[in-house]
Amino acid sequence: MKSTLKQAAEAIFRANRIALASHINPDGDTLGSMLALTHALRSMNKIVVPLSQHGVPEIYRWLPGAEWIRTNTDERNFDLGIICDTGCTKRIGKDVAPVIDSARTTMKIDHHLAEGDFGDIRVVNSHVAATGELVYSLLKEMRAPFNRAIAENLLCALITDTGSFRFMNVTSHTFRISASLMQYGACPAVISELVFESRSFASIKLLGRALDALNVSDDGLIAWSFLRASDFIELKANDEETEGIVNHIRAVRGAQVGVLFREVPGMKIRVSIRSREGYDVNLVAQDFDGGGHRQAAGCSMDPPLDDAINRMLKRIREGFSNTTNTTNLQSVSSSSDTSYGE
Ligand SMILES: [Mn+2]
């Protein structure tokens, strides 16, 4: 059940105290969307509390307003609770979920494929490249005054979820919005420099180790790699520093699917899956209780690492002979394919 932008705008106008939540393992889309809303709604004199249970990764701390984000709050009884870039409260974390669930009205703004039951108001469209596009449309519907802070947050959302405008999810609409955001003072070069060219030493070293461990299946259709717990320990690295590595793995010529497994100390094995147009990795991730988009999805798996790799590769191989994974190849030109923060 989709809601109209008008219904969403009215719910926001009615609310005075508003809690916003991003998903766990936050990315540029969930944080940029949440912060753009925070700026806009505060300018309407609303009390807004932006929440991210996993905080803000280093590469996103420059986002205007990032310092406002809290990992949790004891406050309850918000008039409105909005989750950004995810369809269910499971993915905003167990500390933040009760804050949103206790709100009088709940809303989701999301472009993931999974529908779910959450949300009195549902601003959902899996055909847009980023949740930031939906936030842009909603703020326009509300006639919210735009400024540079809002524009930078939304342009960051668009740039990161489209792989710098390289993924299949990019539409002319994505560019029109981006052009508009530039007119409010956001600059793609500056944002790209801050997000992609300012990596930690450890994250570049992790990339090197993942590339060194790169494998490809005998038929060349699946490329995969892994990072061991010892890699994270030796480099004093954490999982957020692996962002983007999986795209290098999918880049192997002929590979239709790329997978990165991470044996993160103290966690289940984290798996990011990317595909080229025509292979649906959302279905694969769903079989392991994960999800995302057709061409970018993720899940967690039980150790040991070697077992997880074998089970995942077997499932992906089945997908090549199973038409549900590979149907509607020509109808996905506007479908979502974004970086999925698992
Ligand atoms: Mn997104």
Side-chain angles (χ1 to χ4, degrees):
M1 188 238 1
K2 266 189 176 185
S3 309
T4 62
L5 290 175
K6 191 159 176 279
Q7 289 171 319
E10 281 164 1
I12 291 173
F13 287 137
R14 272 197 303 273
N16 185 38
R17 299 178 65 244
I18 301 173
L20 303 177
S22 58
H23 61 68
I24 50 175
N25 306 302
D27 58 19
D29 189 25
T30 193
L31 294 171
S33 295
M34 179 169 78
L35 287 171
L37 282 168
T38 305
H39 282 277
L41 304 188
R42 283 187 177 172
S43 78
M44 299 171 178
N45 293 318
K46 302 197 180 287
I47 295 161
V48 184
V49 178
L51 299 163
S52 167
Q53 184 169 319
H54 285 180
V56 181
E58 184 102 39
I59 57 172
Y60 297 120
R61 293 206 186 132
W62 61 271
L63 286 171
E67 68 279 7
W68 297 331
I69 294 176
R70 294 150 67 175
T71 53
N72 198 1
T73 179
D74 294 330
E75 293 176 64
R76 292 293 184 272
N77 301 315
F78 286 92
D79 301 321
L80 179 62
I82 306 177
I83 63 174
C84 303
D85 197 38
T86 176
C88 62
T89 48
K90 195 179 123 195
R91 292 208 65 246
I92 62 175
K94 64 175 173 23
D95 298 344
V96 171
V99 182
I100 299 296
D101 282 329
S102 66
R104 259 187 287 290
T105 303
T106 57
M107 183 188 301
K108 66 175 162 193
I109 308 175
D110 188 32
H111 69 134
H112 288 85
L113 287 163
E115 284 286 331
D117 297 329
F118 176 85
D120 302 319
I121 308 276
R122 302 176 185 184
V123 180
V124 290
N125 182 351
S126 65
H127 296 293
V128 298
T131 295
E133 287 194 31
L134 298 174
V135 171
Y136 177 92
S137 303
L138 176 57
L139 293 179
K140 283 292 173 188
E141 170 75 26
M142 296 170 65
R143 301 186 194 285
F146 274 61
N147 58 29
R148 183 168 165 172
I150 292 173
E152 287 185 330
N153 276 298
L154 291 181
L155 192 58
C156 177
L158 266 55
I159 287 173
T160 53
D161 254 23
T162 60
S164 304
F165 304 107
R166 290 177 302 128
F167 295 159
M168 281 304 299
N169 57 7
V170 174
T171 63
S172 58
H173 190 239
T174 316
F175 282 115
R176 271 191 214 102
I177 290 176
S178 301
S180 162
L181 296 172
M182 285 187 73
Q183 289 182 313
Y184 293 112
C187 175
V190 169
I191 292 170
S192 300
E193 171 81 23
L194 288 163
V195 175
F196 303 117
E197 314 293 337
S198 311
R199 317 291 303 203
S200 67
F201 180 79
S203 78
I204 305 290
K205 295 290 278 185
L206 283 173
L207 169 64
R209 293 197 180 188
L211 296 181
D212 199 38
L214 181 64
N215 287 278
V216 66
S217 58
D218 290 341
D219 58 10
L221 293 175
I222 310 170
W224 77 95
S225 191
F226 52 84
L227 289 163
R228 293 195 181 279
S230 55
D231 294 315
F232 289 97
I233 293 164
E234 283 169 33
L235 297 169
K236 297 187 177 62
N238 55 47
D239 195 41
E240 75 188 40
E241 293 172 298
T242 66
E243 189 173 321
I245 293 179
V246 68
N247 296 319
H248 293 271
I249 293 165
R250 180 182 59 174
V252 175
R253 189 188 301 133
Q256 299 302 304
V257 181
V259 197
L260 178 67
F261 300 86
R262 288 101 70 201
E263 191 182 43
V264 188
M267 296 173 68
K268 291 178 84 173
I269 291 163
R270 308 284 308 282
V271 188
S272 293
I273 322 168
R274 300 290 182 273
S275 62
R276 295 184 200 269
E277 193 177 354
Y279 189 104
D280 186 342
V281 292
N282 178 56
L283 291 173
V284 172
Q286 273 178 357
D287 281 0
F288 299 95
D289 218 25
H293 308 280
R294 284 183 61 96
Q295 285 161 254
C299 61
S300 295
M301 297 177 75
D302 289 321
L305 179 63
D306 291 350
D307 280 5
I309 292 175
N310 286 334
R311 279 185 293 139
M312 177 56 73
L313 295 184
K314 181 165 176 286
R315 173 63 186 84
I316 292 169
R317 242 174 247 122
E318 284 165 12
F320 283 110
S321 46
N322 172 351
T323 50
T324 48
N325 269 99
T326 47
T327 43
N328 301 321
L329 301 197
Q330 303 314 313
S331 66
V332 295
S333 60
S334 64
S335 88
S336 288
D337 171 16
T338 72
S339 131
Y340 176 82
E342 295 99 274

mmCIF file of all heavy atoms in Angstrom, residues 20 38 102 120 165 235 256 265 314-315:
data_model
loop_
_atom_site.group_PDB
_atom_site.id
_atom_site.type_symbol
_atom_site.label_atom_id
_atom_site.label_comp_id
_atom_site.label_asym_id
_atom_site.label_seq_id
_atom_site.Cartn_x
_atom_site.Cartn_y
_atom_site.Cartn_z
ATOM 1 N N LEU A 20 13.723 10.498 13.444
ATOM 2 C CA LEU A 20 14.152 9.957 12.154
ATOM 3 C C LEU A 20 15.161 8.849 12.425
ATOM 4 O O LEU A 20 15.949 8.947 13.366
ATOM 5 C CB LEU A 20 14.822 11.039 11.303
ATOM 6 C CG LEU A 20 14.020 12.305 11.002
ATOM 7 C CD1 LEU A 20 14.883 13.274 10.202
ATOM 8 C CD2 LEU A 20 12.756 11.959 10.234
ATOM 9 N N THR A 38 16.191 16.361 8.319
ATOM 10 C CA THR A 38 16.421 17.053 9.598
ATOM 11 C C THR A 38 16.537 18.563 9.376
ATOM 12 O O THR A 38 15.878 19.357 10.066
ATOM 13 C CB THR A 38 17.702 16.520 10.273
ATOM 14 O OG1 THR A 38 17.599 15.103 10.408
ATOM 15 C CG2 THR A 38 17.890 17.140 11.651
ATOM 16 N N SER A 102 7.133 3.394 18.800
ATOM 17 C CA SER A 102 6.257 4.040 19.791
ATOM 18 C C SER A 102 5.698 5.374 19.288
ATOM 19 O O SER A 102 4.894 6.008 19.985
ATOM 20 C CB SER A 102 7.017 4.258 21.110
ATOM 21 O OG SER A 102 8.056 5.205 20.910
ATOM 22 N N ASP A 120 2.538 3.520 8.693
ATOM 23 C CA ASP A 120 1.203 4.067 8.408
ATOM 24 C C ASP A 120 1.245 4.798 7.071
ATOM 25 O O ASP A 120 0.278 4.803 6.322
ATOM 26 C CB ASP A 120 0.787 5.046 9.514
ATOM 27 C CG ASP A 120 0.770 4.383 10.887
ATOM 28 O OD1 ASP A 120 0.304 3.229 10.965
ATOM 29 O OD2 ASP A 120 1.242 5.000 11.862
ATOM 30 N N PHE A 165 26.945 7.731 -10.405
ATOM 31 C CA PHE A 165 26.120 7.791 -11.630
ATOM 32 C C PHE A 165 26.526 6.749 -12.664
ATOM 33 O O PHE A 165 26.347 6.967 -13.857
ATOM 34 C CB PHE A 165 26.157 9.200 -12.256
ATOM 35 C CG PHE A 165 25.730 10.286 -11.310
ATOM 36 C CD1 PHE A 165 26.660 11.156 -10.775
ATOM 37 C CD2 PHE A 165 24.400 10.414 -10.927
ATOM 38 C CE1 PHE A 165 26.272 12.155 -9.871
ATOM 39 C CE2 PHE A 165 24.003 11.402 -10.038
ATOM 40 C CZ PHE A 165 24.944 12.277 -9.506
ATOM 41 N N LEU A 235 45.198 -5.056 10.508
ATOM 42 C CA LEU A 235 45.108 -3.692 9.975
ATOM 43 C C LEU A 235 44.336 -2.753 10.905
ATOM 44 O O LEU A 235 44.147 -1.582 10.586
ATOM 45 C CB LEU A 235 44.442 -3.709 8.594
ATOM 46 C CG LEU A 235 45.213 -4.474 7.513
ATOM 47 C CD1 LEU A 235 44.369 -4.665 6.263
ATOM 48 C CD2 LEU A 235 46.503 -3.726 7.159
ATOM 49 N N GLN A 256 29.311 -12.375 -13.964
ATOM 50 C CA GLN A 256 27.957 -11.828 -13.849
ATOM 51 C C GLN A 256 27.628 -11.482 -12.406
ATOM 52 O O GLN A 256 26.777 -10.649 -12.140
ATOM 53 C CB GLN A 256 26.927 -12.839 -14.380
ATOM 54 C CG GLN A 256 27.117 -13.182 -15.851
ATOM 55 C CD GLN A 256 27.052 -11.949 -16.729
ATOM 56 O OE1 GLN A 256 26.071 -11.218 -16.706
ATOM 57 N NE2 GLN A 256 28.116 -11.687 -17.490
ATOM 58 N N PRO A 265 35.576 -9.839 13.026
ATOM 59 C CA PRO A 265 35.688 -10.376 14.390
ATOM 60 C C PRO A 265 34.448 -10.062 15.221
ATOM 61 O O PRO A 265 33.955 -8.935 15.227
ATOM 62 C CB PRO A 265 36.924 -9.646 14.948
ATOM 63 C CG PRO A 265 37.734 -9.301 13.736
ATOM 64 C CD PRO A 265 36.735 -9.019 12.653
ATOM 65 N N LYS A 314 27.097 -22.099 -4.291
ATOM 66 C CA LYS A 314 26.142 -23.107 -4.772
ATOM 67 C C LYS A 314 24.808 -22.432 -5.107
ATOM 68 O O LYS A 314 24.223 -22.669 -6.174
ATOM 69 C CB LYS A 314 25.951 -24.173 -3.680
ATOM 70 C CG LYS A 314 25.002 -25.310 -4.038
ATOM 71 C CD LYS A 314 25.177 -26.470 -3.045
ATOM 72 C CE LYS A 314 24.185 -27.593 -3.312
ATOM 73 N NZ LYS A 314 22.806 -27.255 -2.882
ATOM 74 N N ARG A 315 24.354 -21.549 -4.207
ATOM 75 C CA ARG A 315 23.070 -20.865 -4.433
ATOM 76 C C ARG A 315 23.138 -19.959 -5.666
ATOM 77 O O ARG A 315 22.188 -19.877 -6.448
ATOM 78 C CB ARG A 315 22.688 -20.063 -3.187
ATOM 79 C CG ARG A 315 21.465 -19.167 -3.354
ATOM 80 C CD ARG A 315 20.199 -19.962 -3.654
ATOM 81 N NE ARG A 315 19.064 -19.086 -3.959
ATOM 82 C CZ ARG A 315 18.806 -18.569 -5.163
ATOM 83 N NH1 ARG A 315 19.624 -18.829 -6.195
ATOM 84 N NH2 ARG A 315 17.760 -17.809 -5.354
#
